[in-house]
Amino acid sequence: MRVIECDSQDQAADLAAREILQALERKPDLVLGLATGSTPIGVYERLARAKREGRADFSRVRTFNLDEYVGLPADHPQSYRTFMRTHLFDHVDIRPSNVHFPPVDGADLAAACADYERQIADCGGIDIQILGIGSNGHIGFNEPTSSLASRTRLKTLTDKTLADNARFYGPGDEQPQLATTMGIATILAARRILLQSFGQKKAHAVRAAVEGPVSSFCPASALQLHPDVTFLLDGDSAALLTMRSYYRRVRENELRLGQR
Ligand code: GLP
């Protein structure tokens, strides 16, 4: 587990986008796991800029989103399908047929979720998974007490998550309480994981994820089991880490040795 305290959110987005673009050069049919929320927007802006400036070709890229609300039509302003179009898909040349979201309807949702897992496997697995973190430590919509062995499935959102996201809904809007999400085991199967976290409101979750015990009560702590995960933090999110100065020193040494 690598923990990088960045000077700014922009620097975190630069590091994540650079790594994705370098991976894309090596593997034009890269398989990306994508996250929503405010945190990854800077990365998507940089990928869109690379496309605009002719520095990247996404025509063979395959994408799998982490999660989606159940009960919102695809074109609803708060659906994650709308979010991804607004922030990435409308700006790059990813083919619609190469874009995948967890299923949200159909007679047999469990079977459709199992099929989502098969689609990921058929693409050879996820090369790079982008993650944010909920203030309660969730990743995707794997809420506290999610099984560490979970796969794509239906989840009920916690009160904390509903409260965190209530700002996106107007007085007359019905806020969805259900979502389908990749499971924790699905996420851990990605070859590389980049988790970004910004802001003081995530500091407790980040500390529990990085320095707490591996526990389903903080789903992001399961990332300790992954061999190649990097936390890209701003100072506010890193504020409660007890080994903060050590992580800084590790980073200085990495830079001195010319490592990524
Ligand atoms: C939602 C998403 C998560 C995301 C989290 C944090 O709950 N399902 O994938 O990480 O929000 O969102 P933000 O980045 O806006 O803080």
Side-chain angles (χ1 to χ4, degrees):
M1 178 171 261
R2 289 165 71 227
V3 178
I4 301 178
E5 183 178 337
C6 300
D7 296 334
S8 63
Q9 298 184 13
D10 276 339
Q11 190 192 28
D14 282 343
L15 287 174
R18 188 179 69 190
E19 182 168 335
I20 293 166
L21 291 168
Q22 285 171 349
L24 181 57
E25 266 180 42
R26 286 193 302 273
K27 186 182 178 197
D29 60 346
L30 197 67
V31 182
L32 286 174
L34 299 176
T36 52
S38 52
T39 308
I41 290 176
V43 174
Y44 299 148
E45 281 170 358
R46 283 157 178 77
L47 299 183
R49 192 184 314 144
K51 166 66 193 156
R52 216 169 37 244
E53 294 172 356
R55 292 184 281 115
D57 171 8
F58 293 84
S59 61
R60 293 177 57 199
V61 166
R62 283 83 51 87
T63 68
F64 288 88
N65 264 81
L66 273 172
D67 46 15
E68 177 58 292
Y69 290 113
V70 171
L72 294 186
D75 60 354
H76 189 283
Q78 295 310 329
S79 83
Y80 285 167
R81 286 159 287 182
T82 298
F83 175 97
M84 289 308 307
R85 276 195 303 276
T86 306
H87 293 286
L88 185 65
F89 298 151
D90 283 352
H91 312 286
V92 296
D93 54 339
I94 296 175
R95 291 199 184 119
S97 58
N98 283 341
V99 166
H100 305 84
F101 280 85
V104 288
D105 44 32
D108 191 345
L109 197 53
C113 287
D115 193 51
Y116 194 61
E117 293 281 334
R118 263 191 302 277
Q119 290 172 46
I120 296 172
D122 287 349
C123 284
I126 290 171
D127 292 307
I128 302 180
Q129 175 68 56
I130 299 171
L131 287 181
I133 185 170
S135 63
N136 63 359
H138 74 212
I139 45 178
F141 270 135
N142 292 285
E143 298 284 35
T145 71
S146 285
S147 164
L148 303 187
S150 52
R151 292 280 173 175
T152 304
R153 72 217 181 287
L154 184 68
K155 287 294 290 181
T156 297
L157 305 183
T158 58
D159 291 347
K160 177 91 179 111
T161 297
L162 291 172
D164 283 351
N165 294 336
R167 65 186 190 279
F168 297 116
Y169 295 86
D173 295 342
E174 204 182 317
Q175 188 180 354
Q177 307 213 358
L178 297 173
T180 45
T181 179
M182 284 186 200
I184 294 177
T186 321
I187 293 169
L188 290 178
R191 280 181 274 280
R192 173 86 173 114
I193 299 179
L194 293 168
L195 183 147
Q196 297 181 97
S197 176
F198 307 137
Q200 181 263 329
K201 107 175 179 204
K202 308 284 180 73
H204 283 282
V206 167
R207 181 172 63 180
V210 175
E211 297 180 339
V214 173
S215 160
S216 66
F217 207 60
C218 176
S221 68
L223 298 173
Q224 293 174 32
L225 299 169
H226 192 277
D228 198 7
V229 57
T230 299
F231 279 62
L232 296 163
L233 309 174
D234 68 357
D236 286 342
S237 265
L240 297 178
L241 291 170
T242 58
M243 289 176 60
R244 194 173 179 184
S245 59
Y246 173 71
Y247 308 132
R248 284 188 186 143
R249 208 151 49 72
V250 171
R251 182 63 181 156
E252 281 161 20
N253 282 331
E254 279 178 353
L255 292 173
R256 208 160 41 81
L257 295 168
Q259 292 172 346
R260 65 186 180 191

